[in-house]
Amino acid sequence: MKSDRQELANAIRALSMDAVQRANSGHPGAPMGMADMAEVLWNDFLQHNPANPTWFNRDRFVLSNGHASMLVYALLHLSGYDLPIEQLKAFRQLHSKTPGHPENGITPGVETTTGPLGQGLANAVGMAIAEKTLAAQFNRDGFNVVDHHTYAIVGDGCLMEGISHEVCSLAGCLGLGKLIVLYDDNGISIDGRVDGWFADDTASRFGAYGWHVEKAVDGHDPGAVAAALTAARDETDRPSLICCRTVIGKGSPNKGDSASSHGSPLGDDEISLVRQTIGWLHPPFEIPEHVYSSWNAVDVGKQLESTWQSRFDDYSATHPSLAAELTRRMNGALPQDWDATTAAFIDACVKSTDKVATRKSSQLALDAYGPILPELIGGSADLAGSNNTIWSDSVGIQDEASGNYIYYGVREFGMAAIQNGIALHGGFRPYAATFLVFSEYARNALRMAALMKCHGTFVFTHDSIGLGEDGPTHQPVEQLATLRMIPNMSLWRPCDSTETAVAWKAALERQNGPTSLVFSRQGLQPQQRNADQVAAIARGGYVLSDSDTTPQVIIIATGSEVQLAMDVKTVLADEIAVRVVSMPSTDVFDAQDQSYRDAVLPASVSLRVVIEAGVGDGWYRYCGIDGLVVCMNSFGESAPAADLFDHFGFTVDAIVDKVKARL
C-alpha cells in the first residue's frame, strides 16, 4: 500500500499536534498549515541524504519561522534521519534533540538555529551566497561539484521584521538564483489577523527587489506548489519567492484559521476532532509502516550522494589541485603554510616602529594572511574605507561571482546574520565590519553566532571616545562590556600592530565560535616586547612591563589605553613599583590555567588598576571591589580626541593622582 500525498502531509499534522499536546507547550498551527507544501518540497525537490546530514552538496533547508519547529522535526523523523519517535515524544524537554526552536548542532539535519524571526531567512541568503561563490571558484566545464539549492520557509512575522528587507534587497542585487523561499501566507500572528498591522503587497515588494515571484499559490494544492517550485528552479538569475496561501491549524475544526492554534496546544478534545476531520485514526505518535515507507528518503539520498561522489572523483582526476583545495576548505582545515606565514608577519610587526591605528593594522594583517587563505570572504556595512576591510586582493562578488568581498550596504543586522549563514554553509572563513557602536544594530545576530558556535569574525572599528568629533552617537561606551558578556563570544581589543596580528590569527583559527575584533581610529604607539611576551599575547593577557621589585600596583589596560598605562608607570616608577598588564582578550585570559593567571595577576599586590575608555563594571572581577577602575561613566561628547581624553580623565596626571590617593 502506498500513501497518497494527503496522508503524507497528515502524518506531519498528527505528529505536530501530538508532540505539542504531550509537551503542553509549543506551536501546532504553523506546522499543520505548512504540511502540504513541506511534503511536496521534501519528497519531490529537496536533494539530501538522511544517512549523512553533512553531505556537502546537499540542498539546504531553513525553517525561518522556527516556532514551527515540529514541522522540521516531523520531516526529519519521517524521511529517515537519526531522530527516533522517542525524541518527538520528548519535544521541548531537557536534553532532548527536539528543543522548542530548532538548534543547529542539536538535531541532525537542522541547518541553523531559528526562532528570532527573519534571521533564518538571512542565514539562507548567506548560504546561497556561499554556494554561488564557491561554485564560481571551483566548478569547471562538465564538473559542477558545487551545485545545490537553498530553500527557506518564512512566515508573516519573518517578513515583518526589518532584517527581511535588508537581506532580501541584497539577495536581489546579487542574483541568487538558487535561493527559493516559500512564504506561509496564513494571515495570522500571535495577536490575531495581521491585516491591521501587515498590509504589505508582499509580491510587489519582492518584485521590486528583483526577485522572481509566484503569486497566490494554493499552499494546500500539491500540484500548484510543485508547479511553483519547478518555475522557481527554472529561474537561475533571480531568487524566488513563492507566496503560498495557507490555513493555520489546517484540519482543526474550531481552532484552524485563528490565532488560538498559533502558540498553544489544541487540547485533547480538539485533537480528537482533527483526527476525524483529516481521517487520521491512529493513536498518538503511531505512524503506519506504509507511511514511513513512502516518506523514507534514505535510499534515494544515498544514491544522490553516490552520484555526486562519482562526479567529484572524476573532478579530482581531472583537476587534482582544485579538488584537494576544495576538500581542505570543506573540512575547515588551514593551509599547510599557515603557521609559517603568521609567524613571519607577527615578527615583522614586532620589529616595526610605526605609529599605526589598529584599524590599519587590521588591514595589514588581511594583506598578510589573505593570500594564503582563499576561503577568506568579507565585507563591510558601507564603511570599507573607515573599517579598512578591503585588502590588496579583494574582489567584489557583485562584480565577479568568484570574488571574496561583499559590499553589504548599510545593513548591519542583515550583514551579521548573512555571515552566520556563510559560516554554517562551510567552505569559507567570513568576516564582517562596521563601527563598534553600530554592533547594536547587529546584536541579536551576534548572539546567534555565539549560540550556534559559528566561526565568523566581526570587525568593529572606532572603538572609543578616541574617534572624536562625531560625538556620542558614534562613540561606543557600553559595547565592549556587553559584547564580552555574550557567552562564547571571544573579543580582542589590541593595543598595536603586533597584538592585532595575533588577534586576527586567533580569530581565523577559532572553529567553535565567533570573534569580535575591536580596533582604534587613532594611531597607537607600538609596544616593545621580548619573544616570551610576544608568545604570551595569544594567552589573552600578559605582563607587558614589570618592576624591578615586587609590584605594589598592577595596571591592566587594553587597546589605546595600554600606552597610557605605560606612561603612568613611567611617572610612578620613582616612588611606586608598577606592573603593566596588557589584556587584549579577557575571555582568552580566563581560559588559561590558574597558575598562569595567578602569575600575571598575583593576589598579593595591594592595588590593581584598570584603564579602559568604556564602562568598567566588568573589570572588577580582575581588580576586586576595592580596585581602581578608570572608565567611562557617561556617554561621550563631540570634540577632538585629545580634548575628550583630557575631559574624561584619561590622562597621566589624573590617573597618577588617583593611584597615589589609593595607596
Side-chain angles (χ1 to χ4, degrees):
M1 178 180 178
K2 182 148 178 87
S3 299
D4 60 20
R5 307 210 78 129
Q6 190 65 63
E7 188 176 28
L8 297 181
N10 285 341
I12 297 173
R13 293 187 172 97
L15 288 172
S16 298
M17 66 182 183
D18 289 341
V20 171
Q21 186 67 27
R22 186 183 181 100
N24 196 29
S25 172
H27 302 76
M32 293 173 71
M34 295 187 290
D36 297 302
M37 62 183 188
E39 184 276 321
V40 174
L41 173 62
W42 275 61
N43 281 323
D44 292 358
F45 291 88
L46 195 73
Q47 298 193 50
H48 61 122
N49 181 8
N52 182 13
T54 61
W55 169 38
F56 191 77
N57 201 50
R58 69 192 181 278
D59 289 340
R60 271 59 170 181
F61 172 75
V62 174
L63 180 67
S64 186
N65 44 344
H67 57 271
S69 56
M70 267 311 303
L71 176 74
V72 71
Y73 298 150
L75 290 165
L76 293 168
H77 169 73
L78 291 167
S79 58
Y81 284 77
D82 183 17
L83 194 67
I85 196 69
E86 288 74 22
Q87 289 296 330
L88 274 63
K89 292 178 180 179
F91 178 55
R92 288 185 162 229
Q93 305 308 300
L94 185 65
H95 303 314
S96 76
K97 292 184 179 180
T98 50
H101 291 79
E103 294 187 38
N104 173 259
I106 300 294
T107 314
V110 169
E111 300 284 0
T112 181
T113 301
T114 56
L117 294 177
Q119 283 195 67
L121 175 58
N123 298 159
V125 172
M127 293 173 187
I129 290 173
E131 190 278 338
K132 182 175 181 178
T133 304
L134 205 64
Q137 292 176 355
F138 285 97
N139 287 352
R140 295 296 182 267
D141 289 344
F143 295 106
N144 288 340
V145 291
V146 181
D147 184 16
H148 53 266
H149 284 76
T150 300
Y151 295 97
I153 291 180
V154 304
D156 292 304
C158 292
L159 298 188
M160 285 187 236
E161 289 285 0
I163 192 174
S164 70
H165 165 69
E166 295 184 26
V167 302
C168 293
S169 170
L170 183 61
C173 293
L174 295 177
L176 301 178
K178 289 186 176 177
L179 173 63
I180 299 175
V181 177
L182 294 98
Y183 166 33
D184 177 36
D185 181 14
N186 62 37
I188 299 290
S189 68
I190 293 175
D191 285 347
R193 297 201 173 275
V194 302
D195 310 61
W197 52 87
F198 185 53
D200 300 14
D201 183 343
T202 299
S204 296
R205 170 188 164 190
F206 276 76
Y209 291 152
W211 285 52
H212 163 76
V213 180
E214 293 287 322
K215 303 179 183 179
V217 175
D218 183 349
H220 301 300
D221 180 348
V225 174
L229 282 165
T230 298
R233 288 283 297 264
D234 290 342
E235 173 56 63
T236 58
D237 296 326
R238 295 179 293 169
S240 294
L241 179 74
I242 301 173
C243 299
C244 295
R245 286 294 301 168
T246 64
V247 175
I248 191 172
K250 175 73 171 175
S252 175
N254 298 306
K255 296 188 177 183
D257 197 30
S258 73
S260 61
S261 67
H262 174 85
S264 300
L266 297 179
D268 291 332
D269 291 343
E270 186 68 12
I271 286 175
S272 295
L273 291 176
V274 173
R275 281 185 153 77
Q276 296 174 30
T277 301
I278 67 176
W280 187 268
L281 305 180
H282 314 290
F285 299 104
E286 183 176 303
I287 306 294
E289 283 304 317
H290 69 276
V291 174
Y292 274 129
S293 178
S294 297
W295 263 108
N296 193 290
V298 173
D299 290 341
V300 173
K302 288 179 178 178
Q303 185 58 53
L304 286 169
E305 182 173 356
S306 177
T307 300
W308 175 84
Q309 187 61 54
S310 295
R311 183 163 69 249
F312 189 80
D313 291 343
D314 292 342
Y315 174 76
S316 299
T318 308
H319 304 285
S321 296
L322 281 173
E325 177 64 11
L326 179 56
T327 298
R328 178 187 72 79
R329 288 172 60 171
M330 288 191 297
N331 293 335
L334 287 161
Q336 288 185 345
D337 49 357
W338 173 251
D339 288 337
T341 299
T342 54
F345 178 66
I346 292 169
D347 185 59
C349 291
V350 170
K351 296 174 181 176
S352 174
T353 59
D354 296 335
K355 184 177 182 179
V356 181
T358 50
R359 62 171 174 160
K360 179 61 178 178
S361 300
S362 170
Q363 187 177 47
L364 295 174
L366 289 170
D367 273 322
Y369 300 160
I372 66 164
L373 280 178
E375 61 265 48
L376 192 65
I377 187 169
S380 171
D382 202 49
L383 288 169
S386 294
N387 298 146
N388 288 357
T389 48
I390 293 179
W391 54 286
S392 55
D393 290 337
S394 291
V395 176
I397 65 170
Q398 281 89 341
D399 303 317
E400 188 174 320
S402 62
N404 59 6
Y405 193 83
I406 304 168
Y407 291 91
Y408 280 107
V410 187
R411 299 180 176 100
E412 294 90 352
F413 190 8
M415 172 183 69
I418 285 171
Q419 170 164 294
N420 290 344
I422 293 173
L424 289 165
H425 179 278
F428 290 100
R429 294 176 191 271
Y431 66 92
T434 186
F435 288 173
L436 177 58
V437 74
F438 299 138
S439 66
E440 297 296 341
Y441 280 132
R443 176 65 56 158
N444 199 257
L446 303 180
R447 183 179 188 272
M448 295 299 289
L451 177 62
M452 291 190 285
K453 302 179 181 179
C454 287
H455 64 279
T457 302
F458 298 101
V459 177
F460 299 123
T461 67
H462 296 61
D463 66 348
S464 72
I465 57 172
L467 70 87
E469 293 86 345
D470 277 337
T473 61
H474 283 54
Q475 293 166 3
V477 172
E478 72 276 23
Q479 284 71 27
L480 283 167
T482 56
L483 283 171
R484 288 181 179 127
M485 289 171 64
I486 299 175
N488 199 40
M489 173 66 75
S490 188
L491 184 143
W492 290 78
R493 188 182 182 227
C495 73
D496 64 3
S497 293
T498 302
E499 286 190 358
T500 299
V502 174
W504 259 112
K505 180 177 185 290
L508 292 169
E509 290 177 348
R510 191 168 191 232
Q511 291 290 336
N512 62 344
T515 301
S516 291
L517 301 180
V518 181
F519 300 126
S520 72
R521 175 180 182 267
Q522 70 273 31
L524 302 182
Q525 187 68 35
Q527 302 299 320
Q528 300 302 306
R529 304 173 182 85
N530 59 36
D532 289 340
Q533 289 172 312
V534 172
I537 295 172
R539 306 189 77 166
Y542 63 101
V543 178
L544 177 63
S545 179
D546 214 353
S547 57
D548 294 332
T549 60
T550 301
Q552 299 167 266
V553 175
I554 296 177
I555 303 177
I556 307 167
T558 76
S560 53
E561 288 73 73
V562 169
Q563 181 59 53
L564 178 57
M566 294 290 285
D567 293 341
V568 169
K569 176 181 187 281
T570 299
V571 172
L572 291 173
D574 290 340
E575 306 173 50
I576 301 168
V578 177
R579 169 181 289 184
V580 173
V581 170
S582 177
M583 194 176 290
S585 179
T586 57
D587 60 278
V588 174
F589 179 75
D590 290 345
Q592 304 305 307
D593 60 84
Q594 187 69 49
S595 61
Y596 177 79
R597 287 181 282 135
D598 288 344
V600 174
L601 300 175
S604 58
V605 176
S606 59
L607 177 62
R608 296 184 188 180
V609 180
V610 176
I611 310 174
E612 187 172 68
V615 298
D617 292 24
W619 284 108
Y620 286 99
R621 63 189 295 188
Y622 301 100
C623 68
I625 195 66
D626 295 321
L628 172 60
V629 177
V630 181
C631 64
M632 291 292 297
N633 296 303
S634 68
F635 294 113
E637 298 281 352
S638 180
D643 294 343
L644 291 170
F645 280 117
D646 180 67
H647 174 73
F648 287 106
F650 293 95
T651 65
V652 173
D653 290 344
I655 296 171
V656 165
D657 289 345
K658 289 181 179 180
V659 171
K660 287 183 176 180
R662 285 293 187 95
L663 287 176

